[in-house]
Every structure is written in structure tokens, then in C-alpha cells.
Amino acid sequence: GTPPHGCRAARSALEQVMASEENPLTKKTGSPFKVLRAQHYHADRSSRRQVPRSLSGAPSSGDLQLVGNTLEPCLESEEADIDFDTKYYAALLMGSFMVREGGSCDVESGSAYGAALMLPQLARSAGWPLLLTGLSLRVWFFLVVNICMQYSMLMLISREENVLDTIAGQMNLCNFGAGSRGPLGTEITPERTYSWDQWITRVFVKDSLKALFPHRLAEIEAAIDPGEYALESRWARVICCFIFIITTMGEFLLTINMGKLLYMVPTKDESWLTAQSAEAEATQWHEDDAGGEGTWLDKVKIRVAGIPRHWKIFYCLFLLLPKALLWYLCCRIGVEFLMETSTIADVIVNAVAMTFILNIDEMICSTLMSQTTRSMLSRCEEFVLYDVTTEGRMTDQEIMLKFCEKQKWKYIRFKDFVEVVPGKLLTAVLLTAMFIACYFWQKCDITAGGEVVSRTMYKPTIIHENFLQVLFPSLVPRVAEPFWEMPEA
């Protein structure tokens, strides 16, 4: 009469003694697991000792009681039995994710950065054979090509915004919009709002007429209104900046993951190649015997393991640092580019167009790298940061106590409130605010009347920027005489 300890043991025992379909108990309930627990409970109910209340208080439908060493539900009805099943599997579901809260570190499977990190370690583990050494050199060549292409695209956009547009006489857009004054010092209204190309053409026509007919300046000034260079919508610009930052969040998280991997893996010489587990190998031999698709590659496990110190330093300088700098430059230059876009349609299109720059490494991996490299990347196993033996160690009683009973509202903690906060969304909002604030701080001033206008503009003395000038636009040399400043109110 004593029930087996734990739900798995109960199910296993019952399946051995109730295999027949004619068993009346099986017909009655349709669940061998339910039958065994109900049968054990009702058969021994009269002889059981008085048990303590469940951890939640008085017994009720679906609550747990301590009987011997086993947590059992108060089985007063079949509904309670079903409720216990739901609670048990819910505990398994929640527990499977909670034990993995430590996370893991893996190599980017579809990126030139991931290949450049993994292949040298495979070559090192195997003693630098010709094939793996050659593949390592090839992926690093692709990585250099990728970095040069990404940087070149960003440098060209920065050159247009900070050098060429300024030489052409364009002031910063800042917050020029309806309800404030424009670059000419007049009130901005919707019907007098134009993009830069339209506005500068209208100003050119007016200035040309003044030059051709100097004796009719008053008439020209009264008859021709060039309007103002201004925004169509401030909110459209901010929303598009936020959407653009969201599209770069994937690269930001991959950069964090790479830094986490280099920090968390052991700093020692470990092999990234090992044999598959006994279960996987047995399955593979079974497939071979059955005429399956078993291969030598399926008997080898590629995994993230320890990295020697000198390799970690090399990766930080030539892999992690360029990746982080390119992400920063893309976000900063991209937000500046969007903040300098005045029309709604253009700012939406530009927000989408800017995202492809950070995807160049993935395009190179998917189209230019060999199938051998991509296959190795897809088979590389992650480096786990949690105890993988937890699920096998815990008994069903411990599972129910930790992941079911302790999940009740009376055990709520501050950590539970923190987990409700969408961390990635909050990060995207903060990054958007940071880059927009950086734009206003570098390019705009606040007038005495509270208007956010462009700073006094000086033409640069160069037409090409170097790396430091791309990284820090304030280092671009400029002439001493301004070509534009905000008119007085």
C-alpha cells in the first residue's frame, strides 16, 4: 500500500501493472497516473496518520500535503487530481527556464565575427592542421573586408553630414519647425515649410533676382517669399530614430554576448573539439545500422571552451573593439542623419535604409564563406553558465516545492517586480535618448527665447575626414569666419 515516491516513479510502476486495456480502473479515469494516486490514497486513507497542513495553509483542491517523504495533493475529487497534473507540469515548465537563468555564451552562427572567433580555436585545438589553418586565414580576410566596408559606408555618410553639406551652406536642422523661427529669422508656418533642396533653390532664385535687378530690391523682397527650411514633424523624426535603434539592438546584444564569452570562459588552453556523448554516439550507430545519414562529423562535438590569455587579448583588440566601435558609429551617425532629415517620407525611408550597414557581416558569411565554415559554425555548442545537473538532481517533491509552492503570490519578492520590466525595450529607449541628446549637444544652441536652433556655422577647411575626425566631429578644422548665424529675434 505505500505509494512510490514522486510522480515519475508512480507513472512507471503503474504502466507495468496496468498494461491491459480491459483494466476497469483505466476505463474509468483514462489516466494511469491518476488511477494510481487515487487508488493509493483511498485504499490507505483509513490507516494513514494525521498529516500536517500544506505549506499554504488548510488543504484545498490541488494543495499539497506531506505524506511520508512525498508531497501529494488533497485528492477529494477527480477535479483536484487534474489540477495537480496541471500544477506539476507547470512547475516543470517554469523550473526548466528558471534553472537556466544563468544563461549561456555562444558564437554567432551566421556572422563573419563568429567564424573569426571559432576557427582559430579549432585550429589551435587540432594542432594547426592545413585545412583549419587555411580556413582561419580566409575568415579573417573576410572579417577585414567586412570591417573596411562597414567603416567606409559610415565614413561617407559622416563626410556628407559634417563636411560636404556644411560647405554647401547647410545649417543644422535642430528643432526648426512650425511655431518657431527658421534660418532666415521669420516665423515658420506649415505653408512656408520646405525641405533643404526646395528651400535653397527658392533662396537662390530670390538672390539671383536681387543680383540681376538691384534697383528693384524692395519689390523683390515684398513679392518673393522663399519660406523656411524646417521639419514637417518632430515626432516622426523621434519615432524613426527609436525604430532605427531597435534595429541595431541585435548587434548591440551580440557585442555584449561576445564580451561576455571572452570574460566568462576559462582563461586556459582547452580543446574546442571533443567526442559526442555516449547517447548521441549510440543513436548515431543505430542510424548507421539502419541505413541512415550518419557521418563522421556527427561523432564530433564542437563546443565553446577555454581560451588562452594571449588569444583573449587578441580577440578583444581586433574583434570585440572594432565590432563595438562600428556599432557606436552606426548609431551615432545614423541618428544624426535622421535628425537632419526634414520630410516625413524621407526620414521613414532613411530609418530602414541605415540598418543594412550592420548586416554586411551576415551577408558575407551567407554568400562568400564556404559551406564547410558555415557547417562548423552551426554545430558549435554554447558555453553554459548554469548547473546542467540541476534537473537530474532534483526530486519531484523539490520541484513542486520550489517551482509551484514558492510561486504563490504570498512569496512575491522585489526580484519578481524587476522581471516585469522589459529590459531590452528600456535599453532601446535610453540609447535613443542618449544619441538624440548627443546630437543636440554637439550641433544646437538654445536662444534667450527658449528656441533650439543651429549653432553658428563655419565651413570646414578639409573635404576628407580621418578616423579620429569621424569618431569626434569636433576635431574637424574650420575657418574663423562664420557663413551663417541665427538672426536676432
Side-chain angles (χ1 to χ4, degrees):
T2 303
H5 297 303
C7 298
R8 297 195 200 99
R11 185 183 295 277
S12 177
L14 182 60
E15 287 175 349
Q16 296 177 10
V17 299
M18 300 186 66
S20 174
E21 290 185 354
E22 283 74 23
N23 193 301
L25 289 174
T26 305
K27 289 182 178 180
K28 180 178 179 181
T29 65
S31 171
F33 184 36
K34 300 172 186 176
V35 169
L36 181 65
R37 292 193 290 110
Q39 184 182 29
H40 283 156
Y41 181 82
H42 292 294
D44 300 316
R45 189 170 183 178
S46 59
S47 60
R48 289 186 182 184
R49 60 181 175 82
Q50 182 67 29
V51 297
R53 299 291 187 185
S54 67
L55 296 175
S56 61
S60 60
S61 176
D63 282 347
L64 300 176
Q65 293 188 20
L66 184 64
V67 181
N69 293 323
T70 305
L71 284 169
E72 293 188 355
C74 299
L75 299 175
E76 298 298 341
S77 64
E78 187 174 353
E79 182 179 356
D81 207 20
I82 295 173
D83 199 33
F84 178 80
D85 288 348
T86 303
K87 288 184 176 181
Y88 176 69
Y89 292 116
L92 292 181
L93 175 67
M94 293 183 289
S96 64
F97 290 103
M98 293 174 70
V99 298
R100 291 169 171 79
E101 284 183 344
S104 62
C105 302
D106 57 356
V107 174
E108 295 181 52
S109 60
S111 169
Y113 292 99
L117 191 152
M118 181 195 71
L119 277 168
Q121 297 309 305
L122 294 182
R124 173 188 62 79
S125 301
W128 300 102
L130 289 177
L131 176 62
L132 294 178
T133 304
L135 289 176
S136 300
L137 294 175
R138 183 191 297 178
V139 298
W140 270 89
F141 170 76
F142 283 132
L143 180 66
V144 172
V145 170
N146 165 73
I147 292 174
C148 291
M149 291 176 65
Q150 288 181 320
Y151 173 72
S152 297
M153 298 295 293
L154 294 171
M155 181 192 65
L156 291 173
I157 298 175
S158 175
R159 180 189 176 198
E160 180 185 2
E161 291 296 319
N162 296 318
V163 177
L164 299 181
D165 286 348
T166 308
I167 292 176
Q170 183 174 350
M171 64 291 300
N172 301 318
L173 186 56
C174 293
N175 247 12
F176 291 133
S180 62
R181 293 184 303 132
L184 295 179
T186 62
E187 187 74 15
I188 299 174
T189 58
E191 61 272 11
R192 299 182 66 246
T193 298
Y194 298 98
S195 66
W196 168 255
D197 293 335
Q198 294 173 318
W199 182 72
I200 197 63
T201 302
R202 294 170 67 90
V203 171
F204 171 76
V205 170
K206 184 175 180 178
D207 292 342
S208 300
L209 290 175
K210 287 182 177 181
L212 290 173
F213 307 102
H215 58 285
R216 305 182 66 178
L217 293 181
E219 295 179 54
I220 295 173
E221 192 69 37
I224 300 177
D225 179 17
E228 287 286 4
Y229 169 46
L231 284 165
E232 289 183 354
S233 172
R234 294 186 179 94
W235 282 111
R237 189 174 62 166
V238 172
I239 292 172
C240 286
C241 287
F242 176 63
I243 293 174
F244 169 68
I245 292 297
I246 289 178
T247 60
T248 66
M249 281 294 293
E251 189 70 16
F252 173 74
L253 295 174
L254 289 173
T255 305
I256 296 297
N257 182 72
M258 181 182 291
K260 183 179 177 182
L261 185 149
L262 294 175
Y263 178 76
M264 297 301 296
V265 298
T267 308
K268 57 184 178 181
D269 191 346
E270 290 184 343
S271 175
W272 283 45
L273 292 168
T274 185
Q276 283 284 11
S277 62
E279 293 181 1
E281 189 172 353
T283 302
Q284 181 57 49
W285 283 112
H286 176 73
E287 291 179 355
D288 292 342
D289 294 341
E293 297 295 329
T295 63
W296 293 344
L297 187 59
D298 295 320
K299 298 178 177 65
V300 179
K301 180 167 73 173
I302 302 174
R303 56 162 191 171
V304 177
I307 302 175
R309 186 181 303 276
H310 61 279
W311 273 106
K312 284 191 174 183
I313 295 173
F314 177 80
Y315 284 145
C316 287
L317 292 177
F318 299 103
L319 200 64
L320 180 61
L321 183 60
K323 186 178 179 69
L325 283 176
L326 286 171
W327 172 83
Y328 166 75
L329 286 175
C330 185
C331 290
R332 200 209 74 207
I333 295 173
V335 168
E336 287 182 4
F337 184 58
L338 295 176
M339 294 295 288
E340 292 290 340
T341 305
S342 61
T343 64
I344 294 175
D346 287 345
V347 74
I348 293 174
V349 172
N350 291 340
V352 177
M354 282 293 299
T355 60
F356 90 97
I357 296 177
L358 291 179
N359 295 329
I360 293 177
D361 61 310
E362 298 176 2
M363 291 190 291
I364 289 177
C365 181
S366 62
T367 58
L368 301 182
M369 288 189 180
S370 65
Q371 179 61 37
T372 301
T373 300
R374 295 199 301 272
S375 179
M376 290 182 185
L377 276 173
S378 64
R379 291 175 176 271
C380 186
E381 297 185 2
E382 61 189 8
F383 182 81
V384 296
L385 302 176
Y386 58 89
D387 187 357
V388 296
T389 65
T390 300
E391 293 184 5
R393 258 196 347 259
M394 293 184 69
T395 65
D396 289 330
Q397 296 94 323
E398 293 172 332
I399 293 172
M400 290 297 294
L401 179 63
K402 183 173 183 179
F403 303 120
C404 181
E405 181 68 23
K406 293 296 184 181
Q407 285 295 308
K408 292 184 177 180
W409 282 89
K410 67 179 182 179
Y411 295 108
I412 194 168
R413 301 162 297 171
F414 177 75
K415 179 183 177 182
D416 298 312
F417 290 101
V418 174
E419 290 177 350
V420 175
V421 178
K424 293 180 182 179
L425 176 62
L426 183 60
T427 302
V429 171
L430 293 177
L431 288 174
T432 304
M434 181 187 74
F435 285 111
I436 291 178
C438 182
Y439 165 81
F440 282 113
W441 179 72
Q442 290 181 343
K443 295 180 176 292
C444 306
D445 283 328
I446 301 178
T447 65
E451 297 174 312
V452 181
V453 300
S454 173
R455 286 188 172 183
T456 301
M457 301 299 295
Y458 301 86
K459 290 188 177 182
T461 59
I462 60 172
I463 60 173
H464 294 285
E465 297 175 296
N466 58 37
F467 175 74
L468 285 178
Q469 290 166 348
V470 173
L471 195 60
F472 304 104
S474 59
L475 297 179
V476 175
R478 301 183 184 275
V479 298
E481 187 70 21
F483 70 85
W484 176 90
E485 57 184 340
M486 187 67 187
E488 293 293 334

